[in-house]
Amino acid sequence: MRPFLFSKSSAANQALAKKNSTTQYIAGGTNLVDLMKKHIAEPESLVDITSALPAKIEPTAKGIQIGAMVRNTPLANDPTILAKYPLVAKAVLAGASPQIRNMASTGGNLLQRTRCPYFYDVTTPCNKRKPGSGCSAIQGENRMSAIVGYSDQCIAVHPSDLCVALAALDASIKIQDKSGKMQSISFTDFHRLPGTTPERDNNLPANALIHSIEINENAFAKNYAYVKVRDRDSYAFALVSVAAAFNLNGDQIVEARLASGGVAHKPWRWLEAEQYLKGKTANAATFEAAANIAIKDLRPQTHNGFKIPMLKGAIETALQQCLNP
Amino acid sequence: MGFFDEPFDLTTAAEGRVEGIAKVTGGGKYAAEYKVNGLCHAVLVGSTVAAGTILNINTNNAKQVAGVLGIITHLQKPLVPGMANEEKIKEARFGLPIFHTDKIYFKGQPIALVIAETLEDATYAASLVTAEYKEDTKIVDFNGALASVSLTPAGKDRGDIAALNNAAQTIEAEYNIKAEVHNPMEMHATIAEWIADDKLKLFDKNQGVNNVQRTFAKLFNIPVDNIEVISEFVGGGFGSGLRVWPHALACIMAAKLVKRPVKLMLTRPQMFHSVGYRPASWQKIKLGANADGKFVGIHHQAKNGTSFYENFNEGITRVTRLIYHFDNLKAEAATVPLNLSTPTWMRGPGDCTGDFAIESAIDELSYKLNIDPIDLRMKNLALAKHPDSGLPWSTNYINECIEKGAQMINWKDRKATHSQNVNGDWSIGYGMAVGAWNAGRGTASAGIQMQKDGTLTVQTAMTDIGTGTGISMQNIAHESTGISKSKIKIELGNSNLPPAPSQGGSNGLSSIGGAVVAAVAALKLKLAAYAASQNEAYKNATAADILMSDNGISFKTANNQFISFTSLWEKNKLAILEVEASSGPGTERQKYAFCSSAAHFCKVRVNRKTGKVKIERLVTVSDGGKIISEKAAANQMSGAAVGGIGMALMEEQATDERLGTLVGNDFAGYHFPVNADAPIIEVAFINKPDPNINPQGSKGLGEVGIIGTAAAIANAIYNATGKRLRDLPITPDKVLLG
Ligand SMILES: Cc1cc2nc3c(=O)[nH]c(=O)nc-3n(C[C@H](O)[C@H](O)[C@H](O)COP(=O)(O)OP(=O)(O)OC[C@H]3O[C@@H](n4cnc5c(N)ncnc54)[C@H](O)[C@@H]3O)c2cc1C
Ligand code: SF4
């Protein structure tokens, strides 16, 4: 690890004032410290923001606000979250391990970097780590890589589980920029596709802070599911994951949400399948038809053709589980 | 009186470990945890290419870092006499000639060592060392390189496998297992201190202190006794500590260079290429049987990966000659050199690999023959004698393991055809497999120090790597002296203590048990000799005649006349009584063959939609002879079974052929099972003593716990789904596409 200066800020504006291109914010540190140990991040100084940002979950006029410093464990245990936005809790608990969830912050989870193995190995080419150096995964080990939305520059996936639920629920992100101004970005517009700039994971303006996440009241607290298929039952990133939710009128689906992790550079919404589910009877045949719509235009890599049948199975399983969460 | 005349009493509550409290309270010190005055830190720099020659190394930037004390490279290094020239390097058979070559054999191979005041300084400075290489072509993909080597005979043929052509049913199939890494929880570490020019003290993580001592005595050309190796607590090994690895030598060289004690602890990523691994393997089996299920013969071919600087043959076909009787047998093997570090023994080495293929093939054959897999095995077990050597087994209760395991898992609930047990998206299946291991014994020594109050300290150089060696020594000492366990202290893992073999190959307890019994006998004789000054009758006592208790001794034929330790000590002006004795195998090895064995049973659920495999139950019944410490033994077995789950379902060290690199060298990328992946392992023992192997009758358990587990799981998956998966690990993708 490269030596660095460390300071702690007790207010957002203080932190913003200290931030520049050689400075990095540190929250729980569960991702950043690893990146520093591997010389992927080499900041000259760190600003600890754990006391600078809200760590509360509070009601708002339209729904709920989750402070950027709410750790994953309290987020998953919060009574309001469990009562009104249980999909969020379910997704959080599918991620990492209890120890990591105790440390990991909500803001940090959104900004965690890909788990592409080449990204973590500085001896190998990687466009995301070192723009222009090439993408090792395309011709290499790409079992975990994307099957949709990727480019010839990068085929990495976003590793978060929480973000899949937040994308499904149409959350929005409150951001405070360097000048202290607040703005809101819809969750689905926050993370980016790799295109020709795979080094950029998201649209957070330079030096800005994530202040909080907002979720509007919704009708998805009764029929929801988060299914994560992985190589082991805990403490592993998703091969594919599915956040599903709908509200029912009798056995008719009024509105549905369907999103996936482990398939793209950002949490991926299956909008066409969502559209299809609208107004249909909630049964196995409907679920299978929706899954078939989701998988129809996917383009797997050399090692991950399996993700297509797996995704289909995971979508069907998740939709089925929505009936009995 | 023989050891067995005194019954063991294991009906009381299962005890913990002698070192348990120290371990869980942090009192126990692992190699890297010792406080040593003046200690500085060393960090290795690895090659960034997989094959080639070092052209130059630039250490200028690293030297600028404050606190840097020195840098070792192949160009600048303290003298290691045992590696002074090519010839000596060859003779030393140390493996990688670290810092004594400009050749690069694998990526991550140490090319420099930075020594600094703090770990942080050393780590940072190490990141600033750069090198230029002349790169050569590299190969790291085992499956791609397989075809380039040809097989040679592995042992003598039996009969003629042409007989397979007349078998009623045959199976011919290939099996591939990916490389697996040991990665014990404690990372390998060494603290080296030169006490004098020719005197060395090491705190080191390893499985055998005497082996470390001998290795460095040779390399530095100093007497063995001038090297003290301390490995009192070892946080797991699984075989990775059976060799002395280059980093330990590097640490000693560093201490020589800076003339201060130096600590070198491998990082977790370095663990993946520095201390061996179970090599990737390929196998082909042809197995045939008559319609009645009697095996006709087997043709077993196997290849495993190795490095370019050493040849490591895993011995995959050894187990083919151990469990079943085959009139016709042919075994062939080869090793495939790769640009990777040298593999080594990993729990159940060879046998675990070979057994997966054999036990999978037998399962497959059982469906073809329409014979229950248990019955098929029972018909063919070599129960009377070792099928290769022809020596009668001293004991072999593998059939009882099978019977007991079948009962425990309710084998009768298994459907005889696959895919018959379905519940929603889940398919349920049962599978079983057996495993065996040649049970060994080495010559070991133990010492006893006795105090006036009757307390004993039993000592050996052998390490306890989590195996329960300490608690077992305490039990044996208690049973053979009658002195309360609370008065028996154990000291081990230090080369100043009586020498013993390394802890490995399931030989540890088998070897040390006899030594403890021998030391107790020596102690009894010594006590009798002192007692003779008080009572003439003691003069002719043999060890077997002497009875001990917490307070004193008595002698059967002298009317059991009791003499207290207090009076013995006072009369003879004793301070401390010391004895040492060794014990090892003898002629019994010419009369008998010895094996441990186990039967593994598994119930799985397989999700047909997602490919997820969930292990519902895992039952492991083993014959390890007499169980000396039930809790420690059960812990060995369940740990091994969890290792088997890893081998079956998730462990895989991936490589990238284009880049010549390991893919994913951390615990986020390399998956081994966590609690959620393993049910509570149901462990049972046959627990019958082997009367010939050693005085205490125990045969060793560490390996058989994992030999057969993977096949039991794969066979259960077949029973559930009809998918015969012959490549490990069986990750969800393979289940879906299988
Ligand atoms: C072994 C392992 C397994 C894991 N498994 C999973 C998993 O299965 N699923 C999953 O979802 N996650 C998983 N995680 C990831 C974990 O959830 C993230 O590491 C964590 O959420 C990051 O939060 P943090 O507070 O520790 O972020 P940090 O490491 O402190 O920061 C991460 C990045 O975000 C920036 N940052 C943090 N907060 C803010 C803010 N408020 N404003 C602006 N910038 C900010 C930092 O500067 C840094 O660049 C795993 C992590 C590990 C180490
Ligand atoms: S997929 Fe993206 S992160 Fe992975 S090697 Fe390619 S560029 Fe780097």
Side-chain angles (χ1 to χ4, degrees):
Chain A
M1 199 183 277
R2 170 177 162 167
F4 56 88
L5 296 169
F6 180 87
S7 68
K8 211 172 156 125
S9 292
S10 53
N13 54 2
Q14 240 181 52
L16 287 164
K18 286 186 196 162
K19 179 78 174 71
N20 59 44
S21 62
T22 59
T23 305
Q24 234 167 324
Y25 300 126
I26 182 162
T30 59
N31 190 210
L32 184 56
V33 174
D34 280 355
L35 294 169
M36 288 169 67
K37 283 203 253 179
K38 296 210 169 195
H39 297 273
I40 297 157
E42 295 196 301
E44 284 174 12
S45 56
L46 289 182
V47 179
D48 180 334
I49 52 171
T50 50
S51 308
L53 291 168
K56 278 206 202 105
I57 299 173
E58 289 168 312
T60 62
K62 288 204 249 157
I64 198 166
Q65 171 176 307
I66 304 162
M69 268 319 302
V70 175
R71 312 271 182 171
N72 287 179
T73 299
L75 177 59
N77 295 335
D78 183 78
T80 315
I81 294 285
L82 287 169
K84 293 185 161 176
Y85 312 92
L87 181 60
V88 171
K90 224 162 175 205
V92 169
L93 290 179
S97 66
Q99 293 89 338
I100 291 173
R101 294 196 297 265
N102 288 342
M103 285 302 286
S105 68
T106 302
N109 190 297
L110 270 51
L111 299 176
Q112 65 175 300
R113 309 221 58 191
T114 183
R115 288 281 158 177
C116 174
Y118 301 99
F119 177 74
Y120 280 85
D121 181 351
V122 290
T123 66
T124 64
C126 168
N127 287 327
K128 184 179 276 299
R129 178 169 29 79
K130 198 170 171 208
S133 61
C135 171
S136 294
I138 290 175
Q139 290 180 65
E141 174 69 35
N142 51 37
R143 182 171 173 266
M144 302 290 287
S145 303
I147 51 174
V148 65
Y150 56 87
S151 72
D152 61 1
Q153 306 259 313
C154 178
I155 58 172
V157 298
H158 194 265
S160 169
D161 292 297
L162 169 62
C163 291
V164 180
L166 294 175
L169 294 176
D170 275 335
S172 58
I173 304 170
K174 242 165 113 177
I175 283 165
Q176 201 166 4
D177 69 16
K178 176 88 178 155
S179 69
K181 215 173 76 218
M182 290 280 194
Q183 70 185 86
S184 185
I185 305 186
S186 84
F187 203 89
T188 43
D189 291 337
F190 182 70
H191 293 100
R192 296 164 58 94
L193 292 181
T196 55
T197 52
E199 68 278 13
R200 290 194 61 193
D201 294 348
N202 54 60
N203 291 318
L204 186 71
N207 301 323
L209 278 170
I210 291 181
H211 173 273
S212 55
I213 308 287
E214 291 179 319
I215 317 175
N216 286 347
E217 294 266 6
N218 60 53
F220 303 123
K222 247 174 94 183
N223 300 104
Y224 64 92
Y226 190 77
V227 168
K228 181 175 179 183
V229 188
R230 43 185 152 172
D231 285 328
R232 66 176 163 196
D233 253 7
S234 169
Y235 195 43
F237 292 94
L239 291 165
V240 303
S241 70
V242 176
F246 47 65
N247 58 338
L248 288 174
N249 182 2
D251 60 359
Q252 299 292 300
I253 296 171
V254 180
E255 202 191 348
R257 297 291 168 82
L258 201 57
S260 280
V263 299
H265 198 258
K266 59 187 282 187
W268 197 258
R269 282 279 290 271
W270 306 107
L271 296 173
E272 202 185 329
E274 287 180 8
Q275 201 55 39
Y276 169 85
L277 286 165
K278 219 171 177 163
K280 299 285 185 312
T281 308
N283 61 25
T286 301
F287 300 155
E288 187 175 3
N292 277 326
I293 291 170
I295 63 167
K296 75 180 167 7
D297 292 322
L298 305 177
R299 290 181 303 135
Q301 314 296 333
T302 44
H303 297 150
N304 68 8
F306 70 89
K307 281 199 179 183
I308 293 180
M310 185 176 283
L311 178 65
K312 175 171 186 271
I315 290 177
E316 289 178 46
T317 305
L319 288 169
Q320 197 69 44
Q321 276 184 19
C322 284
L323 294 173
N324 266 317
Chain B
M1 186 179 67
F3 188 78
F4 288 106
D5 302 341
E6 287 218 30
F8 275 105
D9 178 21
L10 291 175
T11 51
T12 48
E15 78 271 271
R17 294 164 180 271
V18 288
E19 79 286 13
I21 300 282
K23 265 186 179 162
V24 298
T25 56
K29 292 273 173 280
Y30 294 86
E33 296 180 325
Y34 285 87
K35 294 234 174 335
V36 178
N37 278 340
L39 187 71
C40 51
H41 300 261
V43 171
L44 288 164
V45 180
S47 158
T48 56
V49 303
T53 311
I54 305 171
L55 296 178
N56 62 63
I57 301 182
N58 186 339
T59 57
N60 292 337
N61 291 339
K63 281 182 186 147
Q64 303 306 313
V65 174
V68 169
L69 300 168
I71 299 180
I72 294 176
T73 67
H74 70 288
L75 299 169
Q76 263 188 318
K77 56 178 186 282
L79 178 73
V80 180
M83 287 198 174
N85 54 45
E86 286 295 319
E87 207 173 300
K88 290 204 161 145
I89 289 174
K90 256 203 197 117
E91 224 174 87
R93 302 182 60 190
F94 180 69
L96 181 76
I98 185 169
F99 304 139
H100 285 78
T101 178
D102 60 354
K103 292 270 167 304
I104 296 296
Y105 300 99
F106 61 94
K107 192 164 157 179
Q109 176 182 329
I111 59 160
L113 182 73
V114 179
I115 308 124
E117 290 288 349
T118 68
L119 177 60
E120 290 76 7
D121 291 341
T123 305
Y124 177 52
S127 76
L128 301 177
V129 175
T130 55
E132 276 180 276
Y133 308 88
K134 184 178 92 48
E135 270 198 80
D136 292 337
T137 49
K138 59 209 174 246
I139 39 173
V140 299
D141 176 26
F142 171 75
N143 290 89
L146 258 187
S148 65
V149 296
S150 30
L151 293 157
T152 56
K156 270 206 219 114
D157 286 2
R158 219 181 285 153
D160 184 352
I161 54 159
L164 281 169
N165 298 331
N166 304 322
Q169 293 289 354
T170 53
I171 295 292
E172 192 166 358
E174 295 185 28
Y175 304 82
N176 292 286
I177 304 179
K178 287 289 197 288
E180 287 174 66
V181 291
H182 312 74
N183 261 305
M185 198 187 312
E186 179 203 12
M187 289 167 290
H188 283 242
T190 305
I191 295 176
E193 180 172 15
W194 286 94
I195 306 289
D197 274 353
D198 62 349
K199 271 199 146 162
L200 182 62
K201 182 171 182 177
L202 298 174
F203 299 95
D204 185 62
K205 186 225 173 81
N206 66 79
Q207 293 174 232
V209 290
N210 298 123
N211 181 39
V212 177
Q213 215 184 6
R214 280 191 301 270
T215 304
F216 289 125
K218 228 163 70 188
L219 285 177
F220 286 96
N221 200 14
I222 55 180
V224 168
D225 289 341
N226 282 15
I227 304 181
E228 183 184 4
V229 184
I230 298 158
S231 313
E232 280 184 293
F233 286 82
V234 181
F238 313 117
S240 67
L242 287 171
R243 275 193 79 168
V244 180
W245 298 102
H247 69 269
L249 173 57
C251 183
I252 298 170
M253 290 168 74
K256 191 128 237 182
L257 179 78
V258 300
K259 301 191 168 60
R260 279 173 60 178
V262 174
K263 168 151 80 179
L264 193 166
M265 180 164 81
L266 294 178
T267 63
R268 186 60 73 186
Q270 287 171 344
M271 284 287 290
F272 285 75
H273 61 246
S274 303
V275 290
Y277 54 93
R278 192 196 302 282
S281 62
W282 164 91
Q283 297 176 71
K284 188 169 176 188
I285 297 259
K286 188 168 181 188
L287 170 72
N290 293 328
D292 65 358
K294 184 90 193 66
F295 289 160
V296 172
I298 189 164
H299 185 191
H300 191 177
Q301 300 172 308
K303 297 182 184 181
N304 69 261
T306 185
S307 70
F308 273 109
Y309 56 95
E310 270 180 304
N311 187 31
F312 177 80
N313 188 325
E314 212 202 354
I316 295 172
T317 62
R318 185 177 49 231
V319 70
T320 322
R321 303 170 178 276
L322 191 60
I323 303 176
Y324 302 102
H325 190 76
F326 295 107
D327 282 330
N328 304 294
L329 178 150
K330 187 181 184 67
E332 296 167 291
T335 57
V336 182
L338 301 167
N339 287 108
L340 297 173
S341 60
T342 308
T344 193
W345 306 288
M346 179 165 159
R347 204 166 202 171
D351 292 29
C352 185
T353 309
D355 188 87
F356 168 69
I358 298 168
E359 291 296 300
S360 296
I362 292 175
D363 192 69
E364 195 166 354
L365 190 62
S366 77
Y367 286 87
K368 267 197 164 178
L369 289 162
N370 212 2
I371 299 179
D372 186 288
I374 289 184
D375 299 339
L376 181 58
R377 286 179 172 84
M378 288 296 197
K379 275 180 209 277
N380 291 289
L381 288 172
L383 282 179
K385 52 185 190 176
H386 190 296
D388 229 28
S389 72
L391 288 175
W393 294 116
S394 175
T395 54
N396 179 350
Y397 302 115
I398 192 169
N399 52 336
E400 295 187 26
C401 295
I402 296 176
E403 282 157 6
K404 187 162 190 165
Q407 237 171 27
M408 285 169 69
I409 199 136
N410 279 326
W411 185 250
K412 53 184 185 338
D413 288 349
R414 167 186 175 271
K415 308 276 188 225
T417 34
H418 67 75
S419 314
Q420 298 301 302
N421 193 346
V422 171
N423 182 359
D425 291 340
W426 295 90
S427 297
I428 291 121
Y430 291 79
M432 62 86 59
V434 300
W437 180 258
N438 283 309
R441 179 187 181 193
T443 301
S445 310
I448 299 179
Q449 296 183 336
M450 185 172 184
Q451 313 278 349
K452 184 179 179 181
D453 63 359
T455 51
L456 303 181
T457 304
V458 186
Q459 303 172 313
T460 180
M462 187 176 279
T463 56
D464 183 342
I465 61 170
T467 35
T469 309
I471 185 69
S472 298
M473 286 171 65
Q474 191 189 55
N475 281 354
I476 293 170
H478 162 69
E479 293 297 336
S480 45
T481 59
I483 289 181
S484 306
K485 289 182 193 174
S486 60
K487 296 181 88 170
I488 303 174
K489 218 178 115 195
I490 303 296
E491 282 178 7
L492 45 65
N494 186 320
S495 63
N496 291 333
L497 302 175
S502 298
Q503 181 68 258
S506 300
N507 288 354
L509 182 57
S510 178
S511 308
I512 193 62
V516 174
V517 172
V520 168
L523 178 68
K524 286 181 174 174
L525 286 180
K526 203 155 191 180
L527 288 168
Y530 285 118
S533 64
Q534 277 164 275
N535 181 340
E536 280 283 311
Y538 274 89
K539 244 188 186 145
N540 304 318
T542 65
D545 297 329
I546 302 290
L547 296 178
M548 291 173 74
S549 70
D550 274 357
N551 307 313
I553 61 170
S554 52
F555 180 27
K556 275 187 192 163
T557 49
N559 247 344
N560 280 339
Q561 198 210 48
F562 176 83
I563 303 179
S564 75
F565 293 139
T566 318
S567 75
L568 255 187
W569 254 248
E570 281 168 4
K571 283 256 159 62
N572 294 287
K573 298 198 169 48
L574 297 174
I576 194 168
L577 214 56
E578 285 184 85
V579 292
E580 184 177 326
S582 15
S583 166
T587 50
E588 73 281 0
R589 294 251 152 205
Q590 280 131 46
K591 293 187 226 145
Y592 302 105
F594 299 90
C595 76
S596 301
S597 62
H600 310 276
F601 290 79
C602 176
K603 179 184 181 190
V604 295
R605 260 188 313 144
V606 184
N607 190 300
R608 292 189 310 283
K609 286 216 160 91
T610 60
K612 176 80 210 158
V613 174
K614 193 81 197 140
I615 303 203
E616 293 255 290
R617 292 182 66 196
L618 198 53
V619 169
T620 291
V621 184
S622 52
D623 165 25
K626 184 79 196 169
I627 302 305
I628 304 297
S629 169
E630 187 150 10
K631 204 171 180 181
N635 176 251
Q636 276 292 297
M637 298 312 286
S638 55
V642 173
I645 295 176
M647 178 180 183
L649 299 184
M650 61 194 82
E651 290 192 49
E652 166 174 6
Q653 178 58 70
T655 53
D656 183 309
E657 177 67 2
R658 227 169 43 90
L659 300 169
T661 189
L662 301 180
V663 181
N665 53 5
D666 58 37
F667 281 171
Y670 182 89
H671 296 139
F672 53 80
V674 294
N675 281 333
D677 298 293
I680 300 289
I681 310 294
E682 298 165 65
V683 177
F685 298 107
I686 302 303
N687 198 7
K688 292 185 186 170
D690 185 304
N692 302 303
I693 190 163
N694 52 35
Q696 77 274 16
S698 64
K699 295 196 285 189
L701 283 168
E703 324 296 320
V704 288
I706 194 173
I707 302 172
T709 315
I713 294 169
N715 293 343
I717 293 172
Y718 176 80
N719 184 249
T721 63
K723 296 184 186 202
R724 179 63 65 185
L725 300 169
R726 303 186 187 88
D727 294 348
L728 299 182
I730 303 172
T731 41
D733 46 326
K734 290 189 185 145
V735 177
L736 271 185
L737 302 181

